[in-house]
């Protein structure tokens, strides 16, 4: 009787809300699901683990689970065999948990195994994390993220190094549909959430960015000593960086000049130099400006509707032997440069510059060019007052047209960089009227090893071992609905396993994090979103709907398997779960402390 009356009251109050013109679509502070519960502290990779002699003997690894959903991720149970530590737990809403596994022996035995089973509170969705060893094969210690219980597939990962993590990012909701980091979603992720972000100012968007973006290869147009190990910052081209979600490209472009005649410009190239103005510059060249432009055009043709920022530094010339200082660009070089830039399609000429671009709503840019969006060129180099510094009629702007706070930690170790970055974005508040931070904050989530360390261990390893995995626990747990950066700038976007750079081998942690921070984290801040969080609103599932109407319809519904060796099964047999332990051996330890005295078949 009581329950019946309560229902009747609820029903009539929602009728009243509609009748009075209020909708259930308004953001309300009391609907917030973000959890402030304390989560266990995580661990950064100790530096000595980068030494192969130490790292290959490592027995300790992590599996980070990031929950950007309004549902608590609950651990149902675990069991493990020949593990000294198998520490998993719940992941509260909006938080991350770095789970620890420590193998009993240094060498993988083939029996070492463990499983952790999870469900998302209030839904019928489940997933499992499986840890399994294969003693006789390469990459013997593997982690399977099994999201087949959410219709999101399975993927076998390897740890990128000693005492490093494999990360899983999940976002969405029971109502909205779910998305996870096992593979990338649609290239035009901004357009795909137009409903959510269109009226937010750009300074309330969160997007991946790529550091030294066009250093995705070494092209040796300068005769210097920069190598792949110490000078290459990305594993994939600008085109694949765009597909992996990057929208802020740290480009450094210079012209290469004939050693005998400074007047002969041999072309515009991405460069990564110790200092572009030094007498002797150490570094190398990456992609050509022509390549960069054609890759951007290919992407925007295939994925219209995005906002893509191209901040460009350097803008000086260097001799092929870069040992005689820089060459200041004259009007002829600047004109050549601008005429190349005019080859970028979907530029946005004559934007209103009466306020910073960061203050304009996303739709101001996304709707331009008949909905194909904007590629915004922002010059930030060493052009002097004798040459044009921008050309608004061509969509080429001075960096001063957007208010930016770009924070570089200049630290060699992630354990120093991570707290410094978190402190920076926590020093301002988002979305609270007059206090709202007024600039676009770039968080450079990357480490800066000295030349000796970079040469010895490679920038790739610094990115995929200590730096990038730490974003998913230290970075995420340093955010909340009022505190986040706008651009998360990284090295080696998408690369999870060393030298796995083909598109299908990339992993979508940063892509999914950015989608989740816009959908979930910023939406729980009523100063950012006046509407109810899309993940809570009583509307039909958007992710599934968007996926089925897109040209790449399989992406939203894919429930296949990606193996660690790169083999992909799109339609696996339903019973195939790599890493699943069929027999729980005598000695298996459950999370409640029970130890099996006889082998049994796996009940889960
Ligand atoms: C990759 O691994 C899967 C599963 O272990 C195996 O079936 C497949 O044959 C392997 N493919 C290659 C090319 O080694
Ligand atoms: C511990 O967990 C196992 C597996 O779920 C279960 O079979 C067993 O009864 C539990 N033991 C206790 C003491 O709760």
């Amino acid at each position: 009787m009581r329950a019946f009356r309560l229902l009747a009251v609820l029903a009539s109050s929602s009728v009243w809300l509609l009748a009075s013109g209020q909708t259930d679509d308004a953001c309300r502070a009391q609907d917030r699901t973000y959890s402030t519960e304390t989560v266990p502290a995580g661990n950064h990779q100790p530096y000595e683990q980068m030494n192969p002699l130490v790292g290959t003997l490592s027995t300790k690894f992590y599996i980070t689970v990031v929950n950007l959903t309004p549902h608590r991720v609950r651990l149902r149970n675990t069991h493990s065999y020949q593990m000294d530590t198998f520490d998993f737990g719940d992941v509260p809403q909006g938080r991350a948990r770095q789970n620890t596994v420590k193998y009993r022996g240094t060498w993988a035995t083939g029996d070492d195994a463990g499983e952790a089973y999870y469900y998302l509170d209030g839904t019928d969705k489940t997933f499992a994390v499986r840890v399994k060893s294969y003693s006789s094969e390469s990459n013997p210690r593997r982690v399977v993220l099994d999201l087949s219980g959410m219709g999101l597939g399975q993927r076998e990962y390897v740890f990128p190094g000693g005492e490093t993590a494999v990360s899983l990012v999940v976002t969405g909701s029971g109502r909205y549909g779910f998305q996870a980091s096992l593979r990338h979603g649609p290239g035009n992720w901004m357009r795909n959430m137009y409903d959510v972000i269109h009226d937010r100012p750009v300074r309330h968007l969160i997007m991946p960015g790529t550091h030294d973006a066009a250093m995705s290869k070494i092209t040796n147009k300068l005769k210097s000593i920069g190598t792949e190990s110490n000078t290459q910052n990305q594993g994939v081209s600008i085109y694949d960086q765009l597909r992996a979600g990057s929208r802020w490209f740290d480009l450094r472009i210079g012209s290469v000049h004939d050693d005998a005649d400074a007047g002969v410009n041999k072309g515009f190239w991405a460069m990564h130099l110790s200092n572009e103005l030094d007498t002797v510059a150490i570094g190398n060249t990456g992609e050509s400006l022509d390549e960069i432009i054609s890759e951007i055009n290919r992407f925007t043709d295939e994925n219209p509707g995005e906002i893509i920022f191209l901040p460009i530094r350097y803008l000086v010339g260097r001799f092929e032997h870069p040992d005689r200082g820089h060459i200041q660009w004259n009007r002829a070089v600047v004109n050549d440069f601008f005429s190349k830039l005019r080859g970028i399609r979907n530029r946005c000429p004559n934007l209103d510059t009466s306020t910073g671009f960061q203050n304009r709503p996303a739709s101001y840019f996304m709707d331009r060019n008949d909905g194909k969006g904007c590629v915004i060129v922002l010059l930030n180099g060493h052009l002097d007052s004798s040459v044009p510094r921008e050309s608004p009629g061509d969509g080429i702007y001075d960096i001063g047209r957007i208010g930016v706070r770009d924070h570089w930690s200049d630290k060699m170790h992630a354990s120093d960089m991570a707290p410094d970055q978190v402190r920076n974005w926590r020093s301002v508040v988002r979305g609270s009227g007059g206090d709202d931070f007024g600039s676009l904050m770039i968080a450079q989530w990357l480490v800066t090893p000295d030349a000796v360390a970079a040469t010895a261990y490679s920038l790739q390893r610094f990115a995929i071992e200590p730096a990038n995995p730490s974003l998913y626990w230290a970075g995420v747990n340093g955010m909340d609905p009022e505190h986040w950066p706008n651009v998360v700038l990284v090295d080696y976007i998408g690369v999870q396993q060393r030298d796995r750079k083909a598109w299908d081998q990339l992993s979508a942690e940063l892509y999914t994090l950015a989608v989740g921070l816009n959908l979930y984290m910023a939406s729980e801040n009523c100063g950012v979103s006046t509407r109810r969080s899309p993940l809570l609103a009583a509307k039909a599932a958007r992710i599934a709907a968007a996926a089925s109407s897109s040209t790449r319809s399989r992406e939203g519904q894919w429930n296949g398997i990606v193996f660690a060796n790169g083999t992909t099964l799109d339609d696996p047999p339903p019973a195939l779960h790599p890493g699943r332990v069929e027999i729980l051996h005598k000695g298996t330890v459950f999370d409640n402390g029970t130890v099996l005295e006889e082998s049994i078949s796996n009940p889960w």
Side-chain angles (χ1 to χ4, degrees):
M1 185 62 190
R2 250 193 126 86
F4 179 77
R5 287 218 344 236
L6 187 62
L7 277 177
V9 170
L10 281 174
S12 64
S13 68
S14 62
V15 168
W16 176 84
L17 282 172
L18 291 174
S20 66
Q22 273 183 290
T23 62
D24 109 299
D25 207 25
C27 187
R28 299 182 306 174
Q30 68 264 34
D31 290 338
R32 180 174 286 201
T33 68
Y34 174 81
S35 170
T36 55
E37 187 178 321
T38 304
V39 290
N43 293 292
H44 293 279
Q45 183 193 36
Y47 183 52
E48 67 270 15
Q49 290 289 327
M50 291 196 74
N51 179 341
L53 297 176
V54 178
T56 51
L57 299 180
S58 178
T59 56
K60 192 175 178 190
F61 302 93
Y62 304 102
I63 297 151
T64 303
V65 178
V66 178
N67 177 12
L68 295 176
T69 81
H71 311 283
R72 186 179 180 87
V73 169
R74 286 196 190 270
L75 184 66
R76 200 190 298 275
N77 58 54
T78 70
H79 65 84
S80 65
Y81 185 70
Q82 296 184 162
M83 298 283 177
D84 283 343
T85 306
F86 200 76
D87 172 32
F88 285 72
D90 285 9
V91 193
Q93 306 91 292
R95 311 302 300 280
R97 189 182 200 278
Q98 192 199 51
N99 304 288
T100 308
V101 301
K102 187 170 185 304
Y103 294 82
R104 190 156 302 165
T106 303
W107 310 111
T109 65
D111 297 330
D112 307 342
E115 296 179 306
Y117 289 87
Y118 289 95
Y119 65 101
L120 278 74
D121 229 0
T123 76
D124 60 358
K125 304 299 185 212
T126 63
F127 69 91
V129 174
R130 306 201 151 90
V131 178
K132 182 81 187 87
S133 297
Y134 301 87
S135 56
S136 59
E137 298 176 40
S138 63
N139 297 317
R141 284 170 175 161
R142 300 185 204 156
V143 176
V144 174
L145 303 179
D146 181 348
L147 277 77
S148 56
M150 301 178 72
L152 296 172
Q154 306 178 59
R155 179 158 177 174
E156 198 179 43
Y157 286 86
V158 302
F159 298 106
E163 298 194 29
T164 59
V166 163
S167 306
L168 169 66
V169 184
V170 180
T171 188
S173 69
R175 282 181 165 154
Y176 193 90
F178 290 98
Q179 192 168 332
S181 53
L182 274 51
R183 52 191 251 151
H184 287 94
N188 51 352
W189 63 265
M190 287 179 156
R191 169 62 52 180
N192 209 39
M193 58 165 86
Y194 183 87
D195 290 356
V196 178
I197 61 173
H198 70 100
D199 56 1
R200 295 185 187 169
V202 165
R203 68 173 197 277
H204 286 168
L205 304 182
I206 298 132
M207 57 193 130
T210 36
H211 174 238
D212 267 306
M215 296 306 296
S216 61
K217 58 181 180 181
I218 297 294
T219 50
N220 297 310
K221 298 298 161 189
L222 293 177
K223 300 191 170 36
S224 183
I225 57 171
T227 62
E228 173 179 336
S229 186
N230 58 31
T231 307
Q232 184 174 328
N233 296 71
Q234 299 294 335
V236 301
S237 68
I238 298 280
Y239 172 71
D240 277 346
Q241 290 172 37
L242 281 157
R243 292 205 286 167
S246 182
R247 295 293 177 269
W248 179 271
F249 292 85
D250 167 32
L251 295 173
R252 302 162 188 210
I253 308 278
S255 47
V256 176
H257 295 253
D258 192 287
D259 276 331
D261 183 354
V264 178
N265 174 2
K266 299 179 116 176
F268 296 100
W269 292 84
M271 296 178 179
H272 179 187
L273 302 175
S274 50
N275 182 331
E276 67 276 20
L277 303 181
D278 275 354
T279 306
V280 178
I282 294 170
N284 213 318
T285 51
E287 298 188 33
S288 70
L289 181 58
D290 292 329
E291 286 174 292
I292 295 167
I293 290 171
S294 74
E295 290 175 38
I296 293 169
N297 288 341
R298 179 178 170 203
F299 175 83
T300 56
D301 288 351
E302 294 171 0
N303 301 279
E306 303 295 286
I307 315 174
I308 298 167
F309 294 99
L310 306 181
I312 310 182
R313 292 168 52 185
Y314 290 8
L315 308 182
V316 294
R318 297 292 317 201
F319 290 103
E320 285 174 281
H321 280 95
D323 57 357
R324 280 174 286 156
H326 73 283
I327 299 162
Q328 194 68 34
W329 281 7
N330 60 25
R331 191 170 283 269
V333 178
V334 172
N335 285 342
D336 285 349
F337 181 60
F338 283 11
S339 75
K340 289 264 187 212
L341 294 179
R342 284 194 286 270
I344 300 173
R345 291 197 278 278
N346 302 307
R347 281 167 293 116
C348 283
N350 300 315
L351 294 172
D352 184 346
T353 54
S354 61
T355 182
F357 293 160
Q358 80 279 12
N359 299 320
R360 300 279 175 205
S363 59
Y364 179 74
F365 303 102
M366 294 172 78
D367 293 349
R368 256 156 229 276
N369 294 312
D370 299 321
K372 294 197 197 111
C374 278
V375 180
I376 302 169
V377 180
L378 297 163
L379 302 186
N380 188 23
H382 303 287
L383 301 179
D384 66 24
S385 56
S386 68
V387 297
R389 297 170 57 86
E390 63 178 356
S391 180
D394 291 317
I396 300 169
Y397 300 93
D398 185 87
I399 189 75
R401 302 297 184 186
I402 184 166
V404 170
R405 185 201 280 190
D406 189 351
H407 186 63
W408 175 40
S409 298
D410 193 10
K411 303 281 188 197
M412 172 151 158
H413 300 296
S415 52
D416 298 322
M417 174 276 289
D420 179 64
Q421 289 294 330
V422 169
R423 206 178 304 119
N424 184 56
W425 74 60
R426 294 200 73 84
S427 69
V428 302
V429 176
R430 303 308 189 123
S432 58
D435 291 339
D436 185 24
F437 182 59
S439 299
L440 195 79
M441 179 178 283
I442 319 291
Q444 297 201 23
W445 197 275
L446 47 95
V447 294
T448 309
D450 60 47
V452 174
T455 306
Y457 295 149
S458 82
L459 295 179
Q460 179 179 201
R461 288 191 56 211
F462 273 98
I464 69 171
E465 295 187 30
N468 292 349
S470 70
L471 175 61
Y472 303 99
W473 60 272
V476 169
N477 285 331
M479 299 183 199
D480 63 36
E482 277 74 36
H483 300 95
W484 26 263
N486 298 103
V487 175
V488 181
L489 195 80
V490 299
D491 285 327
Y492 283 87
I493 192 172
V495 178
Q496 189 276 335
Q497 190 178 339
R498 181 142 45 122
D499 295 331
R500 289 290 173 92
K501 301 167 182 173
W503 174 250
D504 287 340
Q505 297 171 338
L506 301 183
S507 192
E509 291 87 7
L510 188 54
Y511 173 102
T512 313
L513 182 77
V515 168
L517 290 174
N518 287 292
L519 271 184
Y520 174 79
M521 196 70 91
S523 297
E524 293 233 327
N525 178 336
C526 295
V528 166
S529 173
T530 53
R531 289 190 309 276
R532 195 161 191 214
S533 166
L535 302 184
L536 301 173
K539 283 195 183 144
R542 283 271 307 134
I543 287 175
S548 60
S549 66
S550 92
T551 49
R552 299 192 198 161
S553 61
R554 245 177 0 107
E555 262 164 343
Q557 299 154 350
W558 181 83
N559 206 10
I561 302 177
V562 181
F563 291 97
N565 63 14
T567 297
T568 299
L569 296 181
D570 285 328
D571 295 297
L576 181 55
H577 296 281
R580 185 170 187 278
V581 180
E582 299 305 331
I583 302 292
L584 304 188
H585 291 298
K586 176 183 170 205
T588 293
V589 183
F590 294 106
D591 50 7
N592 61 14
T594 296
V595 179
L596 269 187
E597 288 173 3
E598 282 172 36
S599 300
I600 59 168
S601 65
N602 187 346
W604 297 289

